[in-house]
Each structure stands twice: as C-alpha cells, then as structure tokens.
Amino acid sequence: MTATGLESPSRPAGPRSVPGLAASAAAADGGVMDNAALAAWLAERQRTQAQRVERVPFAELHGWGFDERTGDLRHASGRFFSVHGLRVRSDFGPVPAWSQPIIRQAEIGILGIALRDFDGVPHLLMQAKSEPGNVNGVQLSPTVQATRSNYLRVHGGSAVPYLDSFRRPEPGSVVADVLQSEQGSWFLRKRNRNMIVEVGPEVEAGEDFAWLTLGQVHALLRQDNVVNMDARTVLSCLPDWRQDAAPGRAPHSDWEIRSWITRRRAEHEVEAAPIGLAETEGWHRTPDEVAHERGLYFRVVAVDVSSHRREVPAWSQPLLEPRGIGIAAFFMRRAGGVPQVLLRARAEPGFVDVVELGPTVQCVPGNYAHLPPADQPPYLREALARRDGARYDVLLSEEGGRFLNAQSHYLITEVESDFPVVSDEFRWVTPCQLDELLRYSHHVNVEARTLVAALRSL
C-alpha cells in the first residue's frame, strides 16, 4: 500500500483464472449449470440432506461433559472445541467489565473454494451442506469447510472431499490464502485458513457440489439464508475485479489507515482472562442451558443430530444460541466519484490482536435496549431509520456448526457525501483499500467480510 492515497497500478497477475472474474460475475444466467438446474439441485439437496436436530439436556450429550473442577464443557477427546469462561475488562463500549462463556477452538480449520475455468469463464465449486445450527438446513458452503479435527478424522468419519487441493495446492494455483478471524464476542482467538485455489479439469463436481459462476453466487447472496458464513468470508478474499475497486483518491492514505489501526490496537485497553465456566458471574447453569441471569446475549444449549450426508451420521454437541437477530450495516458514500464505506475499529475480547475493522454498525439491538440513549451503538438509530432505502438488506445465518439459529440483517445503505464521522473509531475506506487489507490476517472482521462480499454482488 502506498502513502499517497493512490494505489499502485501494478498488481501481480496471479493464476490464469483471476482476469476472468469480471466475466464470471457477469454470467448471472449461469455457465456449466443454468439457473433452473441450480434451483432444482438446491431443492434436491434440501430433501436428500434432511437432518434431525433435537434439543436435549446436557446429560444426554455423547462424549461431552462438564469438568468437575472448572465447570468447562469439553469433548472427551480433548479436540473439537470447548466452552469455558472469560473475564473481560475493556474501554470499548458502555460496559467496562463483565464475564461470559466463550467458545475456545485453538485448531485452525480450512475454508476453501476451488476455482476452475470452463470455456474461459471461471467457476466456483460450491457445496450444498447442512449444519445443525442453520435455520433452514442446507446452505451453500465452500468446497472445503473443515476443522482440523474433522479432516484428521478424529470423529472416525469419512474423508473430506477435495481436501488435497487445499493442503497440497499445485505451484502457482493459489489465488488467496490468509488466516481470518471469526466472531470475537463468541470465539476466543478463533481463526480459519481462507483459501481460493485454481484447479484443473481433473476436478469434477460430486453429488453435493456444483460449479457456479460468480454471478450465480452473487444472485444467491441476495437471498435470505442461502449462502453460509464460511462461503461469504472466502468470497471476500477474492481479488476485487470491479471498476469501482480501481485506484482512486482516498480520504486517508493507505499509510494513514494502517497507522490508525495500529494506534487503535495500542491505545485500546482490553484484558481478557480465561476462567472456569463455573466462575462466570451473572450466568447460571441448568440441566438444559447455560444462560445469562437477565435473559440477554446468548445461551449455551445441547443438541442431538442425525444426518445421512455428513462425515458422521449421528452425533451430539453444544451450540451457542444468540438472543435476538443482529444488525450489521455498511454506510456507503461517493466522494469525488470514488465509493467509500465507513468502517469502525472494533475491540472484541476474542480477537487475536485487540482490534479489527468492522461494519459501521454491528450489534444485537435487544442487548442494548436497557441502556440509556447515550450508550446505544453509534449510528444504530440512523441504520434503522434508513433501512427502507437500503441497497442491500438480506437476512443471513452465522456459522451453523457452532451457533443455533444465529442470524443478522446485513445492510448496505448509501448516505450523503458529507455524512458526519462521530469519533476517531471510524474511517472512510475505498474498495481498493479494503481489497488490500483483506490480503492480511486479522484486519477485517467476519461481519465486515460478509458485507464486502455483498457489496461486490450489487
């Protein structure tokens, strides 16, 4: 990134499919599979992957249990993930100190999309995948979506299809490969390897997979609860092919943006200390849930799952269930002909490096209803008031393998070119600058990455 506010016009050419992304995005009517066949395929996947998800008491979890000393909820293998407590002190937001349960999953998984040319048009290999926490069963996911425990087959299940394309990619085939975080309020330092890899004609689509153009994926991204969170974060890591992402005058130079991020990380005071789940003040455990005493935020529950199309046909696990539907909104403006989005430097207790850039607004409004107006999230009122005119307003699920019925309204709203910035926590950033920031780990949070993918779909 340059210090002038103008991006360098020269970029590495990358794998041969990358220059064709604009053509793939324009192919909204399909390529290998037309839209009528795509709709029929998705409907058939919903039928064949029907799964049963039943709430059960914690005592009926198989292979999971509460530690007698700490109260932490763990798997008997010591793998997968655990739920324990976190004590937080922070100068970000209206509450300076609290305790909460949090998911700890130290291992790094792979989220990967395979890219292949058909008659000069790049196609993405997308998977129809059911997750126990999804509100509607099957959603469109990456080619590979697997934790390390899954692909090492700790559960004794079947092998993950296409995994070798990502663990052992061919030289010169990697389009994107970056560690990215997940929800910093629900995960402790959770990261996944987001990958896009070009493959050859030897890679064919299996029964639960389909080669789709970027235009088809974009159309599905404009529908409620079709494209899952893991696919959205990988899509955001694609090089930005749009004319709007070309170099242009930015309100802050690239050097200034990077310095601002560093300063926010250095100046925010966030102390997150792991504690036993039994020590989390304000939370109680019953036979059926771990919940906040005021019924806010989220609860931890147990489910029993059976599915005929997963690596393991039946299992049980904990899930985190949010209280209420969230809002994640980008405010967008045009200044001097250059589009810009308003990002917020967010400090969340689970982040690896204190601060990541998030949407203009990111919250579950119900969690703030009991607080005075001065303590409401900045711009929340404006986001709600302008919602009727939003350019993008889609209800999307969060990660269905760890969260139950977790959804957020994702919004992109155009505002006036002189829209005021209320504090140093916010900066206007161009698409070209966002594209560059997404090449690095832990700069753009998972909610903002969904909005990047959504913005490119418009």
Side-chain angles (χ1 to χ4, degrees), residues 45 75 81 91 109 125 131 141 182 221 228 292 307 387 418 433 457:
R45 295 306 94 199
H75 192 263
F81 65 96
D91 63 353
L125 185 58
E131 296 281 359
S141 77
E182 298 200 4
L221 191 57
N228 81 358
H292 190 264
S307 172
R387 188 172 169 190
D418 59 350
Q433 290 174 318
S457 78

Side-chain angles (χ1 to χ4, degrees), residues 82-314:
S82 60
V83 182
H84 59 87
L86 196 70
R87 183 176 290 123
V88 185
R89 297 185 184 278
S90 172
D91 63 353
F92 184 89
V95 180
W98 71 92
S99 297
Q100 65 168 88
I102 200 160
I103 298 172
R104 185 167 194 170
Q105 186 171 339
E107 60 187 35
I108 293 173
I110 292 176
L111 306 177
I113 294 178
L115 194 67
R116 176 183 164 188
D117 272 5
F118 290 86
D119 297 326
V121 178
H123 285 58
L124 297 88
L125 185 58
M126 306 301 293
Q127 179 182 182
K129 187 180 181 71
S130 61
E131 296 281 359
N134 288 349
V135 296
N136 58 343
V138 169
Q139 296 189 15
L140 206 63
S141 77
T143 315
V144 168
Q145 176 185 321
T147 67
R148 183 173 173 81
S149 291
N150 287 148
Y151 67 71
L152 292 180
R153 302 167 72 179
V154 172
H155 48 39
S158 56
V160 176
Y162 308 105
L163 181 64
D164 282 349
S165 295
F166 299 91
R167 295 195 73 190
R168 299 175 183 85
E170 294 293 326
S173 67
V174 176
V175 177
D177 189 358
V178 60
L179 290 177
Q180 298 286 18
S181 66
E182 298 200 4
Q183 287 84 354
S185 295
W186 297 340
F187 280 117
L188 183 63
R189 304 186 184 98
K190 175 73 167 65
R191 301 179 294 167
N192 275 321
R193 190 177 178 187
N194 287 226
M195 303 183 70
I196 300 164
V197 173
E198 190 178 68
V199 298
E202 73 283 355
V203 177
E204 299 181 352
E207 185 178 13
D208 292 324
F209 297 81
W211 288 108
L212 306 181
T213 65
L214 190 53
Q216 288 177 304
V217 174
H218 283 167
L220 295 173
L221 191 57
R222 295 191 290 270
Q223 300 178 29
D224 290 351
N225 291 319
V226 175
V227 180
N228 81 358
M229 186 200 82
D230 298 295
R232 301 190 307 260
T233 179
V234 180
L235 289 168
S236 76
C237 296
L238 274 170
D240 198 340
W241 65 92
R242 300 168 307 143
Q243 186 176 359
D244 278 352
R249 178 65 60 181
H252 306 282
S253 72
D254 305 328
W255 180 88
E256 289 170 336
I257 293 295
R258 295 294 292 273
S259 178
W260 170 64
I261 295 169
T262 302
R263 177 164 55 82
R264 299 306 306 186
R265 287 174 171 173
E267 293 181 356
H268 268 304
E269 296 180 4
V270 179
E271 178 185 341
I275 58 175
L277 185 59
E279 298 178 59
T280 48
E281 298 174 8
W283 296 77
H284 62 267
R285 188 178 108 196
T286 72
D288 300 302
E289 64 180 18
V290 177
H292 190 264
E293 60 189 7
R294 297 173 66 176
L296 297 174
Y297 312 121
F298 59 84
R299 58 182 176 176
V300 179
V301 299
V303 296
D304 190 73
V305 187
S306 62
S307 172
H308 298 296
R309 301 306 294 270
R310 291 293 298 262
E311 297 90 347
V312 175

